[in-house]
Amino acid sequence: MMKEKVQAIQDDYAADYSWCYGCGRLNKEGLQLKTSWYGDQTVTEYTPREEHIAIPGFVYGGLIASLIDCHGTGSASLALHRKNGHEPGDGVEPPRFVTASLHIDFLKPTPHDTELKAVGIIEEVHPKKWKIHTEVFAGDQCCAKGEVIAAVMPRTFTAK
């Protein structure tokens, strides 16, 4: 059973790393996806906008890919942050991740008129790499499944 949602990890990312189109809180044109713990799973919820259609009534697959991608890297950040003894909102900047691999299976057309929920299960595969298994739901229908391999962003990586 899921517990109450807590603060999103993206809210704690440093400003230099908060510009991602999918999850960057400072990208006003972006999706501003937010990933939080729900018990031992992670959840990202998002309601598609009008421009996110493939054909009338259905969501564009690229939005689903972005949702799975950013949910995966956010989930990895949550997991490593917790492993390091921290939680979102505790004043410690969380680690950032980049996508090393993204795999998606589209199971059925995703309706446009409902909130989407990405639910993740996290698996550590290496001290610097995490695998996130994600299911995307529209209501109670699982519309897509994905897997992200997320790698810790090197500290030497800087924004230009």
Side-chain angles (χ1 to χ4, degrees):
M1 178 179 256
M2 291 188 170
K3 296 181 181 179
E4 187 175 320
K5 187 169 145 179
V6 295
Q7 181 172 332
I9 195 71
Q10 290 88 349
D11 292 334
D12 289 347
Y13 288 169
D16 285 352
Y17 304 108
S18 295
W19 293 95
C20 173
Y21 178 79
C23 64
R25 72 178 185 281
L26 300 177
N27 188 332
K28 299 304 179 201
E29 300 300 319
L31 306 175
Q32 298 187 0
L33 300 170
K34 305 235 182 245
T35 307
S36 303
W37 286 114
Y38 262 26
D40 61 351
Q41 296 179 323
T42 55
V43 173
T44 301
E45 298 167 323
Y46 185 75
T47 301
R49 300 187 302 232
E50 283 301 313
E51 64 266 24
H52 297 138
I53 64 168
I55 58 173
F58 296 98
V59 174
Y60 163 62
L63 176 70
I64 304 298
S66 292
L67 177 59
I68 291 171
D69 184 14
C70 287
H71 174 77
T73 57
S75 295
S77 184
L78 280 167
L80 184 54
H81 202 45
R82 180 172 276 178
K83 182 179 178 182
N84 291 337
H86 303 287
E87 294 294 332
D90 70 2
V92 175
E93 185 180 327
R96 285 301 315 271
F97 282 78
V98 293
T99 305
S101 174
L102 173 64
H103 176 86
I104 302 164
D105 290 317
F106 296 96
L107 306 176
K108 56 182 63 180
T110 303
H112 186 265
D113 61 351
T114 188
E115 180 179 69
L116 305 179
K117 183 184 286 187
V119 178
I121 297 174
I122 303 165
E123 174 186 349
E124 184 175 10
V125 295
H126 179 275
K128 293 184 179 183
K129 288 188 180 179
W130 297 72
K131 183 185 296 185
I132 294 71
H133 305 274
T134 301
E135 294 183 329
V136 176
F137 294 88
D140 61 355
Q141 295 284 321
C142 183
C143 298
K145 290 184 179 185
E147 178 183 281
V148 170
I149 304 292
V152 174
M153 181 185 294
R155 293 230 181 256
T156 57
F157 183 83
T158 57
K160 290 184 179 188

